[in-house]
Amino acid sequence: MSGNGTTSGDDPLQTAVWRLRSRGCWADAAALLLPDTPAAALQRASLLVERCLYTERGWEEAEDALRTAEALAHSDDERGAAACERGYLAYASTLLAVRDRADEARAALGRAAALIPPGASRRALLDFRRGLLAENLTSAPQAARAAYRRAHAGATAHDNPLLLSFTWRHLAGLALRDGELAEARHGFSESLRIREELGYLVGTAPALVSLADTETEPEASRLRDEARRLYRLLGGVPTWLARQLAPLPPAATA
C-alpha cells in the first residue's frame, strides 16, 4: 500500500491511475506508467506489489518492476522507497505462504529505515510496514502498536488519508484483540469512513467486515452482506477475505 488516495494538482494521469487502483485494476493502472523515471518506476512497482497482496498472483511481474525501480533509484530517498517496496513484497510472500522471505523483509525495511529519515513523508509508510512485520511475522503486538502510532502521526502530519485508513484499521485490530471493543469500533469506523470518502472500493469490503466484528445483530449481518456484495463486484478481491466472508454453519438443533 502506498500513495495517499488523492491526486496531485488534478493530474489526469494520476487520476486515472488512482481510479483503476481503487477498483483493484492494478495491472491496468501500472500499464499507464512508463518506467523511465525513478518516480514512475517506483509507482509502477508499488502498484504491482500491492496486487500481489490482494490477489496472491503477479509475483514475477512485481519482481521485474521492482528491479527496474531499484536500478533507476539514485538518491537516498529513492533507494529507501525502493527498499520499502522490496520489504513489502517479501512480507506479502511470507504472509500468504508463497515463500518464506521474512529475513529479506526485515533486512529491506531496515535498509529503508537507514535511508529515509524520521519526519520525511515516506517515513510514515515505512513505519506502518514495520508494524505489519511486528504484528504478523514476529508476533510482537506492543512493537506493532508503537510503529502504527508513529505511522498514524506521520500520515496525519503529511495529509495521507489512505494511510490513515490503514493505521486506524490496524490499531483497532490490536484494540479488539485486547478486548477494547469501543476503541476498536471507533478505529474501524474511521477506517471505513475514509475509504468510502476516497472511493477506495478494493479496501472497503475488508473495512466492513472488521467493523462487523465489533457490532451486534442485525447490524453485523448488514455490514457483512454489504461486504459480500462488494467482494463479488470486484471479482473476489482481496482473495484472503473469502475466509472471513464464508457463511457460518447452521446452528445445531436438539
Side-chain angles (χ1 to χ4, degrees):
M1 193 284 309
S2 60
N4 59 15
T6 60
T7 56
S8 177
D10 295 322
D11 181 337
L13 174 60
Q14 290 301 321
T15 297
V17 168
W18 167 251
R19 286 176 177 169
L20 288 166
R21 176 193 176 193
S22 65
R23 287 157 177 77
C25 301
W26 295 278
D28 292 337
L32 297 178
L33 299 167
L34 293 176
D36 53 1
T37 66
L42 179 67
Q43 186 179 13
R44 185 173 182 276
S46 72
L47 289 166
L48 295 175
V49 169
E50 186 174 82
R51 179 178 68 164
C52 292
L53 187 65
Y54 278 76
T55 69
E56 302 181 58
R57 59 185 179 86
W59 302 94
E60 290 186 8
E61 288 179 81
E63 287 283 359
D64 288 344
L66 190 48
R67 281 192 288 269
T68 299
E70 289 168 336
L72 288 175
H74 297 300
S75 68
D76 282 354
D77 184 64
E78 291 163 356
R79 285 192 291 267
C84 189
E85 293 302 327
R86 169 67 63 190
Y88 195 45
L89 182 62
Y91 163 78
S93 176
T94 307
L95 183 72
L96 298 173
V98 175
R99 182 159 62 90
D100 187 349
R101 299 170 61 180
D103 289 343
E104 181 186 352
R106 294 187 190 95
L109 294 186
R111 187 163 63 252
L115 293 166
I116 303 172
S121 60
R122 296 189 194 274
R123 186 72 185 212
L125 179 60
L126 172 60
D127 285 335
F128 173 70
R129 290 176 173 175
R130 298 181 87 183
L132 292 176
L133 256 69
E135 180 181 4
N136 296 318
L137 301 189
T138 312
S139 298
Q142 293 304 320
R145 181 178 286 106
Y148 292 150
R149 284 175 174 165
R150 289 194 301 271
H152 192 86
T156 301
H158 292 283
D159 191 24
N160 189 332
L162 182 58
L163 181 55
L164 272 177
S165 82
F166 280 87
T167 55
W168 273 121
R169 172 173 161 77
H170 283 268
L171 285 167
L174 292 176
L176 183 61
R177 185 160 66 176
D178 290 343
E180 300 292 340
L181 190 62
E183 182 181 342
R185 184 182 297 117
H186 174 70
F188 288 138
S189 296
E190 284 298 296
S191 178
L192 177 60
R193 176 187 63 79
I194 293 170
R195 292 179 182 198
E196 289 179 334
E197 288 177 356
L198 293 175
Y200 188 55
L201 288 181
V202 76
T204 299
L208 287 163
V209 171
S210 294
L211 182 58
D213 290 341
T214 69
E215 296 287 357
T216 57
E217 297 296 346
E219 180 64 8
S221 289
R222 185 193 69 78
L223 290 167
R224 289 194 180 93
D225 286 344
E226 178 64 10
R228 288 189 187 94
R229 185 188 70 80
L230 277 174
Y231 179 75
R232 289 192 295 267
L233 178 68
L234 293 170
V237 175
T239 52
W240 41 262
L241 194 61
R243 295 183 293 274
Q244 298 177 53
L245 288 175
L248 296 173
T253 57

